[in-house]
Amino acid sequence: MNRRDLMMLGAAWSRAVLTGVARAQSKYPQRPIRLVVPFAPGGVVDVVARQWAERVKTLLGAVVVENQGGGGGTIATTEVAHGQADGHTLLFGNTSTMVLNPAIMARPPYDPVKDFAPIAIVAISASGIMIHPSVPATTLAEFVAYAKANAGKLSYGSAGSGTMTNLAGELFKQIIGAPQIVHVPYRGAGPGITDLVGGQIPMMTVNVTGQLLDLHRSGKIRILAVTSPVRLKGAPDIPTAVEAGLPNMIAQLFTGLFVAAATPPPIVEQIAQASRTVSQDAAFQKALIDAGLEPIVDSGPAQARRFLQEEVARWTPIMRATGMKAE
């Protein structure tokens, strides 16, 4: 066989391989999609993920939500980062898993920018400063005064060490000058909310969800303020911490879709297009607003990657300056 024949054979083989890959991608998905939520059920990431999964199934087929709490979200996030890159395992990540955790870990097990292909930012969420009704305070100003008068006697719960909810609590302590408030990290927001309602902890700084708004309105907890720049559309009666006298008390997080970095671009774009369709649905937007969230309707892979890079650049020096470490 001469050189020309070898070159023709090689070209034919390459075309066959590329055609096979294209055909395999065109059949995506070939089985149910696994949507990994790296936190326990009941938190804001879980709420958005389940709303998204319910609506995207008409576009992508079956989507199974799998909650894997622990490590502030790093355990499940690491699994997806180093797992099979065929689009059948998605991560519903957030600011904690994609920005904060890697910044405070001595040896982060994944690089949020290099190990993932962003698909879309789906929603923005604000934390809330909330207390059990047994705490003698009905406004944020009253609670600040109470916390200062009871130094060393209070604790606050978060969705895990290194999460935005943890940062919100530490920021609150710093701003009001109450470093003695003890941090109690949970494996996701759900278990902490249960303890808050039961009075096992007096305070939480988790992200606001429809469940928490219902608990607030029924008097089982008190949301004294939200940590967004403006009041939530779904809860306009709850003041912001800025309004209540803490001008720097702003702590928000994003939730979004990610896959392992080596996932073929056509599959990434197929998922992204399905996500755009879901995000532009009026019922989906209303569901997120009712849950205390701000929907993002115009995000895709390029926008999500740029957003992630900007968040990493913004938060990493802040996290390192605080000296916060993963527990």
Side-chain angles (χ1 to χ4, degrees), residues 22-312:
R23 285 176 179 170
Q25 292 175 2
S26 69
K27 295 178 182 177
Y28 174 84
Q30 298 177 334
R31 58 183 183 273
I33 295 170
R34 179 172 165 243
L35 180 59
V36 177
V37 176
F39 301 100
V44 64
V45 181
D46 185 56
V47 169
V48 181
R50 290 179 184 278
Q51 291 282 354
W52 185 88
E54 177 63 25
R55 287 168 172 80
V56 84
K57 65 184 180 182
T58 60
L59 303 169
L60 295 177
V63 177
V64 180
V65 178
E66 183 178 313
N67 295 87
Q68 288 189 38
T74 58
I75 296 174
T77 303
T78 301
E79 179 193 328
V80 177
H82 304 303
Q84 192 168 2
D86 61 2
H88 288 89
T89 299
L90 312 181
L91 175 76
F92 221 93
N94 70 351
T95 307
S96 297
T97 60
M98 308 309 292
V99 179
L100 305 185
N101 290 352
I104 63 174
M105 299 180 77
R107 294 190 183 118
Y110 58 87
D111 185 309
V113 175
K114 294 180 180 179
D115 291 338
F116 286 96
I119 295 175
I121 303 302
V122 180
I124 301 292
S125 172
S127 295
I129 300 170
M130 53 198 75
I131 60 175
H132 186 264
S134 63
V135 178
T138 57
T139 66
L140 185 59
E142 290 176 356
F143 180 64
V144 169
Y146 177 80
K148 290 181 177 180
N150 290 271
K153 298 180 181 179
L154 287 177
S155 62
Y156 80 92
S158 78
S161 297
T163 64
M164 177 59 75
T165 64
N166 179 194
L167 182 60
E170 294 303 306
L171 183 61
F172 176 74
K173 288 165 54 176
Q174 183 183 74
I175 290 174
I176 71 169
Q180 300 88 352
I181 299 177
V182 177
H183 175 218
V184 181
Y186 285 87
R187 292 172 64 89
I193 293 169
T194 298
D195 278 3
L196 178 66
V197 173
Q200 279 75 39
I201 53 173
M203 173 191 177
M204 282 198 81
T205 51
V206 291
N207 290 83
V208 176
T209 65
Q211 176 197 15
L212 288 167
L213 292 175
D214 288 342
L215 291 170
H216 168 74
R217 288 162 183 154
S218 67
K220 294 180 180 178
I221 66 170
R222 291 187 194 129
I223 302 179
L224 301 177
V226 294
T227 59
S228 51
V230 297
R231 296 193 183 200
L232 302 178
K233 293 178 182 176
D237 57 313
I238 301 176
T240 67
V242 173
E243 291 177 71
L246 304 181
N248 297 317
M249 189 63 224
I250 297 176
Q252 301 182 103
L253 89 166
F254 69 80
T255 59
L257 284 162
F258 300 85
V259 288
T263 303
I267 291 178
V268 171
E269 183 53 42
Q270 185 176 340
I271 302 168
Q273 184 55 53
S275 185
R276 287 189 197 98
T277 301
V278 170
S279 295
Q280 290 168 6
D281 178 72
F284 178 71
Q285 294 176 27
K286 183 179 185 303
L288 294 190
I289 291 171
D290 289 345
L293 297 147
E294 185 69 25
I296 306 299
V297 301
D298 58 352
S299 182
Q303 297 94 327
R305 179 170 294 281
R306 184 167 58 251
F307 184 91
L308 175 62
Q309 292 171 338
E310 290 172 352
E311 287 293 282
V312 170

